[in-house]
Each structure stands twice: as C-alpha cells, then as structure tokens.
Amino acid sequence: MRLDQQRLVITGAAGGIGRATARRAVAEGAQVLLTDREAEPLERVCVELGEAAQWLAGDLLEPAFCDSLAEQAASRLNGLDGVINNAGIITRGNVLATRDADWRASFAINVDAVFRICRSAIAWLTTQRQAGVIVNVASCWGLYPGPDHLAYCTTKAAVAAMTRCLGRDHAPDRIRVNAVAPNEVDTPMLRSGFEIRGLNVDTAVSELDASVPLGRIATPDDIADVIVFLCSDQSRYVCGSVIEVNGAKPVG
Ligand code: NAD
C-alpha cells in the first residue's frame, strides 16, 4: 500500500474532494485525522472508514485552530507525516461585485489558514520527524483566471506561489510541498454555484463536460488519486510543483 501507516491530516474532509481523498488515503493504508466545520458529516465519513479515521471539527477562520492543528493531529495520530490543505471557498464576482467581507473571507480560508497550517506543520515536522509531505489544493483558475471570480482566482494564485516557495525552502528539510490545480470538479462547490445562479445543474454540468477534451469534468476521485500520489514515495522527486489536473481543458 502506497501510504502504509502514514499519518495525515486532511482539511475540508466533509466536502467532495476531501472525502474522496480520505477514502483513497485510508485504502492505501494511511491513518487520517479529518477536519471540517461541522461534526456530523465528519462522523459519517469516519463511520464509513473505520478505525483508520478520526475527526476533529473546527473553523479555519479561527487562527488558533489553524495554529494548533498539526499538534492536535500529532497527538491524536501518535505522530504526523503530512498535511492535505484541501478546504476552500469560492466567491463569485468581478472587482465591482466583490465586497470587503468576500475578499477577507476568501483570503482567511483559502490563504491564511493554509499559511498557518503549513507553518505549524513544518515546525512540527522539522523538529520531530525531519521529513514529511504537504499537499495544497490550488486551482487552474489561480494559474489562468476564469471570469468573474476575482477573489477566488487571486487566493488560488497565492496558494500556488506559497506552495512553490515552501517546496523550495523546505526541500533541504526533506519536507516535500506540492499542490494540485484542478479545473472543474463535480463536487458540492461546483453544483451549488450553478444552483445559486438559477441554472439546471445537470444541464450545466453536461455543458461543462463538453468543454473538456477528455470528454468530462473531473470526479473527486480523479483529484484524490493525484493527491495520494503526491503524498506517496512514488512522487519522492516532486517538490515545489503545482500539478495541473484538467483533462487538457484549454485555458482562458
Ligand atoms: P466542497 O465545498 O465540497 O468542500 C470544501 C470543504 O471545505 C467543505 O466541506 C467546507 O465545509 C470546508 N470549509 C470551507 N470553509 C471552512 C472553514 N471556515 N472551516 C473549516 N472547513 C471549511 O468543495 P470541493 O470542490 O471539494 O473543494 C475542495 C478544494 O478544491 C477547494 O480548495 C477548492 O477551491 C478546490 N477546487 C475545487 C474545484 C471544483 O471545481 N470543485 C476546482 C478547483 C479547485
């Protein structure tokens, strides 16, 4: 198994990509601490995954929660080998439609929380383990902005840049920091966006499928498999990379 006995913490683990990643990681032998805002959906995932999975509810808007997450994970999992920073929010709007509150919340969850969790995890990993992995979930829209999502695209560009910086700075500590950059993935985040706009969700997803050269948008498992690869020794020479996972969808 590719993640045999790896102890990983996964944020946003009750959502589409997070849940798929938790399932894949446990199937590959990992012990996971799953975190998200609400306890109840996390409990359900843990019941499904059995004793390899534990949960911890918390709000990434709280700096103290982010700062303590690596320590809490290490204490619950009896050590820590890596972190998957998957949680995120998407806010729609061009600059004129972006309120201060949207901008602040987007940065707080998509960037500040990732920064704080990486900082505390790298402090723990360098002193206690002298190795480790971090996988951040960026977005193709952070590399090639999509329309009308200024705050989201800007935060995901920051995640990509942060990943490259951390990968470079901490390669000598044997901590590999990488990111995945998906394009559209069929998750609650994508579907709720269509609902908010009053669109027929299945029709909108079919239209998006047709825009992808591989013939469909991604499933959460398509992304989870790449995250698991980045946590595993199979990616031992991949460091500071942002891997586009987009079915060859053209940019722009
Ligand atoms: P999702 O909405 O299904 O899951 C996101 C999870 O993050 C949710 O469970 C949510 O509760 C959690 N979260 C949000 N704010 C939080 C907070 N303050 N505290 C704790 N948890 C919080 O979305 P998803 O599509 O699975 O997204 C996962 C990641 O993938 C995100 O970073 C997203 O930006 C990225 N992504 C998604 C797509 C897509 O098309 N779905 C494309 C590119 C990148």
Side-chain angles (χ1 to χ4, degrees):
M1 290 200 283
R2 289 183 298 166
L3 303 184
D4 196 25
Q5 301 301 318
Q6 265 202 45
R7 296 151 300 182
L8 301 171
V9 57
I10 305 175
T11 71
I17 295 171
R19 209 168 41 216
T21 302
R23 286 192 185 113
R24 288 293 217 249
V26 167
E28 291 286 350
Q31 305 277 321
V32 292
L33 179 68
L34 307 180
T35 181
D36 208 302
R37 252 183 310 225
E38 310 279 333
E40 199 258 321
L42 287 172
E43 271 182 296
R44 269 191 275 125
V45 186
C46 284
V47 167
E48 177 196 327
L49 296 181
E51 60 186 24
Q54 301 180 46
W55 61 271
L56 175 69
D59 190 343
L60 296 174
L61 285 168
E62 288 177 14
F65 176 70
C66 301
D67 290 341
S68 69
L69 187 58
E71 281 285 350
Q72 293 203 67
S75 134
R76 297 276 292 270
L77 298 170
N78 200 22
L80 184 68
D81 301 297
V83 174
I84 299 166
N85 278 307
N86 161 72
I89 60 166
I90 188 164
T91 308
R92 192 178 169 79
N94 65 16
V95 70
L96 300 178
T98 302
R99 300 168 306 162
D100 287 3
D102 299 329
W103 186 259
R104 278 198 299 269
S106 297
F107 269 81
I109 295 167
N110 294 0
V111 183
D112 297 359
V114 176
F115 156 70
R116 287 181 177 281
I117 293 169
C118 285
R119 184 171 62 181
S120 65
I122 288 170
W124 194 93
L125 292 167
T126 47
T127 55
Q128 308 290 322
R129 198 182 169 283
Q130 287 90 47
V133 292
I134 295 178
V135 181
N136 296 325
V137 180
S139 169
C140 278
W141 281 22
L143 308 175
Y144 321 102
D148 286 329
H149 284 81
L150 174 76
Y152 182 72
C153 296
T154 307
T155 60
K156 291 299 181 176
V159 172
M162 195 190 322
T163 300
R164 292 187 176 112
C165 293
L166 293 173
R168 184 179 183 138
D169 286 348
H170 295 286
D173 301 319
R174 296 202 305 132
I175 299 170
R176 292 188 301 109
V177 186
N178 292 294
V180 287
N183 210 316
E184 289 102 355
V185 189
D186 194 351
T187 69
M189 177 182 275
L190 180 106
R191 287 181 171 258
S192 63
F194 290 138
E195 272 161 21
I196 290 165
R197 288 157 64 196
L199 300 173
N200 177 298
V201 175
D202 290 331
T203 309
V205 169
S206 299
E207 281 170 11
L208 267 187
D209 284 341
S211 71
V212 183
L214 269 186
R216 59 171 179 81
I217 62 169
T219 64
D221 283 344
D222 293 329
I223 310 306
D225 279 339
V226 181
I227 295 173
V228 165
F229 164 73
L230 289 173
C231 290
S232 79
D233 192 54
Q234 291 186 324
S235 62
R236 59 196 166 274
Y237 203 66
V238 184
C239 191
S241 294
V242 179
I243 313 273
E244 294 178 37
V245 191
N246 61 11
K249 181 158 173 167
V251 296

